[in-house]
């Protein structure tokens, strides 16, 4: 078991191949939702490790391993999250802030209220391996809710999100390091209780915050 959400089947998929200088072990490497061995929609493709002999151990992961991981965590709801009122308040995110970007919100919510954000993946994230990096395509949605004085919530609007990120891999000081990059972020309005509005300004602002604040912080850890 990997964690509370997923487990991996790493049993042998074939008999070990024993040669004079090395041993080949082919493992399944299939990730499932915890307690639910549902067949994934992916088909494994065979691959080989480059013929090298200057290290004691070579370990390779196929794209199938990451695809089944994405499927397992998506099925388990790992990509659905709620950013609570307290967290939004810490970053001074409220209806007044949204109102300065989206005039329709200011007209709809005259009194400043805290907000809550509900994020979810609407499709299985697509992971593609490339040389020295991999990309992740994410389709999701973000619902913005106002938290009223009586602690009830009122949905303001919901947006569709399409994001493309890449992670470059390198070895530094004998450690595998990753560097996250946001390639594309696109919003479209799915539903609104405040009326129709243009999403481009909000998209540009959030993209700027991710590029200048969030991603550098992640890469610095």
């Amino acid at each position: 078991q990997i964690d509370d959400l997923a487990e991996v089947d790493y049993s042998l998929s074939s008999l070990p191949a024993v040669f004079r200088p090395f041993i080949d072990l082919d493992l399944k490497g299939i990730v499932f939702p915890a307690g639910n061995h549902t067949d994934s929609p992916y088909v494994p493709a065979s691959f080989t490790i480059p013929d090298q002999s200057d290290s004691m151990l070579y370990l390779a992961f196929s794209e199938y391993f990451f695809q089944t991981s994405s499927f397992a965590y998506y099925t388990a709801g790992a990509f659905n999250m709620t950013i609570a009122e307290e967290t939004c308040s810490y970053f001074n995110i409220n209806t007044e802030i949204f109102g300065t970007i989206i005039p329709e919100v200011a007209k709809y919510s005259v009194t400043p209220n805290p907000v809550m954000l509900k994020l979810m993946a609407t499709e299985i994230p697509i992971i593609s391996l490339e040389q020295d990096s991999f990309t992740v395509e994410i389709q999701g949605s973000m619902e913005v809710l106002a938290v009223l004085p009586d602690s009830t919530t009122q949905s303001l609007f919901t947006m569709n999100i399409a994001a493309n990120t890449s992670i470059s891999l390198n070895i530094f000081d004998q450690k595998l390091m990753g560097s996250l990059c946001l390639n594309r972020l696109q919003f479209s309005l799915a539903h609104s209780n405040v009326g129709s509005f243009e999403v481009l300004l909000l998209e540009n602002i959030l993209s700027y915050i991710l590029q200048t604040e969030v991603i550098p912080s992640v890469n610095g850890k």
Side-chain angles (χ1 to χ4, degrees):
Q1 186 157 330
I2 300 173
D3 52 29
D4 292 339
L5 299 177
E7 54 192 45
V8 60
D9 178 359
Y10 52 88
S11 58
L12 287 170
S13 59
S14 62
L15 291 175
V18 181
F19 303 93
R20 184 181 296 273
F22 61 88
I23 299 175
D24 266 351
L25 297 176
D26 290 333
L27 308 179
K28 287 184 177 180
I30 307 173
V31 181
F32 299 98
N36 179 16
H37 283 204
T38 304
D39 290 337
S40 77
Y42 306 105
V43 177
S46 61
F47 73 103
T48 57
I49 300 176
D51 187 12
Q52 298 178 348
S53 58
D54 55 346
S55 296
M56 180 178 293
L57 174 66
Y58 288 94
L59 185 63
F61 294 90
S62 70
E63 195 170 77
Y64 179 74
F65 170 79
F66 293 101
Q67 290 171 336
T68 58
S69 298
S70 178
F71 171 75
Y73 282 102
Y74 172 82
T75 303
F79 301 113
N80 303 337
M81 64 186 72
T82 298
I83 302 178
E85 167 192 350
E86 293 77 13
T87 303
C88 290
S89 297
Y90 177 81
F91 291 101
N92 294 318
I93 302 174
N94 52 35
T95 56
E96 187 175 23
I97 292 296
F98 276 105
T100 61
I101 304 171
I102 306 168
E104 288 78 6
V105 173
K107 297 174 184 177
Y108 185 83
S109 181
V110 178
T111 303
N113 288 307
V115 297
M116 176 188 301
L117 306 179
K118 288 187 176 181
L119 304 172
M120 66 176 296
T122 54
E123 297 180 12
I124 304 170
I126 300 173
I127 300 176
S128 303
L129 297 186
E130 301 173 3
Q131 186 172 354
D132 300 326
S133 68
F134 61 90
T135 61
V136 182
E137 291 271 0
I138 301 172
Q139 301 286 335
S141 68
M142 177 180 72
E143 183 181 11
V144 180
L145 303 99
V147 182
L148 304 179
D150 61 359
S151 297
T152 61
T153 60
Q154 190 172 53
S155 177
L156 299 178
F157 57 87
T158 301
M159 307 189 73
N160 296 320
I161 303 173
N164 178 288
T165 63
S166 60
I167 300 177
S168 300
L169 302 175
N170 57 76
I171 297 176
F172 178 76
D173 195 22
Q174 298 184 341
K175 294 180 180 179
L176 181 64
M177 309 290 288
S179 179
L180 177 65
C181 176
L182 177 65
N183 301 322
R184 186 180 73 252
L185 179 67
Q186 293 180 321
F187 286 164
S188 62
L189 188 62
H191 175 75
S192 175
N193 288 323
V194 302
S196 181
F197 58 88
E198 177 58 53
V199 302
L200 184 59
L201 179 59
L202 179 61
E203 178 183 302
N204 290 339
I205 290 174
L206 289 180
S207 181
Y208 175 80
I209 293 173
L210 289 171
Q211 296 275 22
T212 60
E213 300 292 338
V214 177
I215 291 178
S217 176
V218 171
N219 288 336
K221 293 184 180 180

